[in-house]
Amino acid sequence: MHSTRIHKVINQIISFVRFIGLGHGEDRHTLTQLRLKSIYCIYYLLFPISFLIGAITKETVDESIFLAEIFLVGTVMTIKIWMILWKQQQLMRLLNRICVFSIRNDEEFSFFNVKVERFIKFVIVFACATIVGGLGAATFPFIANKKVLILNIAFPLDYKHSRIGFALAYIFFVTEMVLSFLGMAFSVIVWYLLLHCSLRYKILGMKIRNMGRATGGDSNVKILGKEQQIFQQELVASIESYLHLRGLIDELESFLSKLFLLQFATSALCICASIYCLAFDVSVNFVERGIHVYTLFYHTAELFMITYLGNEIMLSSSWLKYSLFESEFVGQPHSTKRCILVFGEYLKQPHEMLIGKLYPLTLETFTRIFNKSYSLFNLLKNSKQ
């Protein structure tokens, strides 16, 4: 019997949030935590507002489209920061209930560890790339020919001609970027939760497939003696595990549904804006072109990760019915076979996470959003011509 735990990298992310005074382990927030979280939320909200004002006040349409895209990114990021700050108890409850469970078989435990470690390696690469990008954006004013911010935000002071104004605008921009890391950390935790949901379905399928088989030695050796009673007990345990896991995923779906719906609504616009900026080369230098490439990659990767992991949940749940009929059901009593048939009929419907009760969290939705982005791009292209 093996027990899984929340990975140390995810624990380090949560510990960092608590270290800077934004986390809590108590049932209620302290007064200091309430003040800090309120200040951080209000302060970060100024970031997308600065992009929105910049998009409205810019003279060129091309630059306004780009700043409007960054405004949408900032809006989604604000929701993520709000959730990691104010929904922390619910998030930790989901982490403990989904990511902490027992695995009986050594093969299943090894399979689980390999998948999780691969994901953690990806997270480390993602974190390093994010930090390098953040450092590049922070040091850009000092390596450019003139002191300008990498993004042309709206700011109350004239930071293009005043040293004091530039210093204040630079501090504002860098601190807002640091807070953006909290939103990206929330994305990583969400991916981690979705990954565990798909892995638990796969492990359950392996458990169902091994029903009625010996726990040691050759898996094809039938259990003798009380094999029918053991099979019935394992079948009941598998049904209970399936219902419990389905309830957990439904709870996770309810927790993330509004956020994912907002991401679906903004992703098509953001991808369209990034392609527009690259296609018509609205950039004035190489650095701005790099920003457009990065924003396109970010929107695509963010959307792909949640739809891919949601698709994995659907696929791993759809294979449970095949695992059921790969078990040693031959020779079982008629009542047990009837239960197997009923359970098999129930498993025919794969578990799809529905966002807003309309959009399934699958790769098909990912393709549909890209198609919408292409249609919007054609509209912009025709209007420009």
Side-chain angles (χ1 to χ4, degrees):
M1 182 70 73
H2 305 277
S3 297
T4 64
R5 293 288 182 267
I6 300 173
H7 199 276
K8 60 181 180 180
V9 172
I10 306 299
N11 272 326
Q12 287 171 357
I13 293 174
I14 298 169
S15 298
F16 175 75
V17 174
R18 291 179 175 175
F19 175 75
I20 60 178
L22 299 179
H24 62 282
E26 302 83 7
D27 293 336
R28 295 182 180 180
H29 299 83
T30 63
L31 183 59
T32 303
Q33 290 168 348
L34 285 171
R35 288 174 178 173
L36 273 175
K37 292 183 178 184
S38 300
I39 290 172
Y40 280 128
C41 287
I42 295 172
Y43 182 69
Y44 190 81
L45 187 60
L46 298 176
F47 204 35
I49 290 175
S50 66
F51 290 118
L52 178 62
I53 296 175
I56 295 173
T57 56
K58 293 301 173 185
E59 296 179 356
T60 61
V61 176
D62 294 341
E63 194 170 4
S64 296
I65 290 175
F66 175 64
L67 290 176
E69 173 196 356
I70 304 300
F71 161 72
L72 293 176
V73 177
T75 302
V76 175
M77 197 67 70
T78 302
I79 302 299
K80 291 181 179 180
I81 292 173
W82 178 83
M83 291 184 72
I84 199 173
L85 294 182
W86 295 100
K87 297 289 185 178
Q88 214 168 113
Q89 285 182 325
Q90 191 173 352
L91 182 63
M92 287 304 303
R93 193 182 305 116
L94 286 169
L95 277 170
N96 287 319
R97 294 180 64 193
I98 293 175
C99 304
V100 180
F101 60 100
S102 298
I103 301 177
R104 185 178 60 181
N105 190 284
D106 292 338
E107 180 186 355
E108 297 168 5
F109 187 67
S110 176
F111 167 80
F112 172 82
N113 283 334
V114 169
K115 293 293 184 179
V116 171
E117 289 302 325
R118 285 180 182 174
F119 172 77
I120 293 300
K121 288 179 181 178
F122 167 76
V123 168
I124 293 173
V125 172
F126 172 78
C128 291
T130 302
I131 292 172
V132 170
L135 291 175
T139 56
F140 174 76
F142 303 102
I143 60 177
N145 295 328
K146 56 181 180 178
K147 289 189 175 182
V148 293
L149 298 177
I150 197 168
L151 294 175
N152 197 9
I153 62 174
F155 196 73
L157 302 178
D158 185 9
Y159 64 90
K160 294 183 178 179
H161 302 94
S162 170
R163 290 186 176 181
I164 298 176
F166 175 79
L168 293 175
Y170 178 79
I171 293 172
F172 171 77
F173 182 77
V174 171
T175 53
E176 294 287 13
M177 278 202 311
V178 172
L179 282 178
S180 297
F181 292 154
L182 285 176
M184 294 183 180
F186 181 79
S187 295
V188 169
I189 295 175
V190 168
W191 301 343
Y192 184 72
L193 285 167
L194 292 173
L195 174 69
H196 270 70
C197 291
S198 65
L199 289 179
R200 288 191 66 168
Y201 265 133
K202 290 178 181 178
I203 291 172
L204 178 59
M206 297 169 72
K207 178 182 176 182
I208 292 174
R209 188 183 303 115
N210 290 328
M211 287 191 309
R213 301 182 187 273
T215 56
D218 187 359
S219 60
N220 292 322
V221 178
K222 294 184 179 180
I223 301 174
L224 302 176
K226 297 183 178 180
E227 67 276 5
Q228 293 182 352
Q229 182 180 358
I230 294 174
F231 185 93
Q232 291 173 0
Q233 292 174 352
E234 292 179 342
L235 177 61
V236 171
S238 298
I239 294 173
E240 291 176 348
S241 298
Y242 173 78
L243 294 176
H244 176 68
L245 179 56
R246 194 174 182 93
L248 288 178
I249 297 176
D250 288 340
E251 186 177 344
L252 179 63
E253 175 189 321
S254 177
F255 178 67
L256 298 173
S257 181
K258 293 180 181 179
L259 173 64
F260 285 169
L261 186 62
L262 179 63
Q263 284 190 257
F264 285 174
T266 58
S267 291
L269 297 173
C270 291
I271 293 172
C272 170
S274 297
I275 296 174
Y276 174 87
C277 293
L278 289 171
F280 293 101
D281 197 17
V282 301
S283 311
V284 296
N285 53 50
F286 176 77
V287 175
E288 288 192 8
R289 292 188 188 96
I291 294 174
H292 297 321
V293 172
Y294 173 78
T295 53
L296 176 61
F297 171 77
Y298 172 79
H299 299 314
T300 305
E302 184 81 22
L303 181 63
F304 175 78
M305 282 301 296
I306 60 174
T307 52
Y308 169 76
L309 292 170
N311 197 74
E312 284 295 300
I313 292 174
M314 182 195 68
L315 291 178
S316 56
S317 64
S318 67
W319 277 100
L320 291 180
K321 59 180 179 291
Y322 299 107
S323 300
L324 180 62
F325 292 104
E326 287 177 356
S327 64
E328 292 290 336
F329 66 91
V330 178
Q332 299 300 322
H334 179 71
S335 58
T336 303
K337 290 182 179 179
R338 186 168 54 189
C339 290
I340 292 173
L341 289 174
V342 173
F343 189 34
E345 288 294 323
Y346 195 75
L347 293 177
K348 282 185 178 180
Q349 184 65 32
H351 191 175
E352 283 186 346
M353 295 180 69
L354 286 178
I355 306 305
K357 298 182 180 180
L358 292 173
Y359 306 101
L361 195 65
T362 60
L363 289 176
E364 182 183 354
T365 302
F366 176 78
T367 306
R368 287 169 58 189
I369 291 175
F370 254 83
N371 290 336
K372 290 180 180 178
S373 298
Y374 180 72
S375 300
L376 290 172
F377 170 73
N378 283 331
L379 290 176
L380 286 176
K381 182 180 68 174
N382 293 333
S383 64
K384 189 176 180 65
Q385 291 173 352

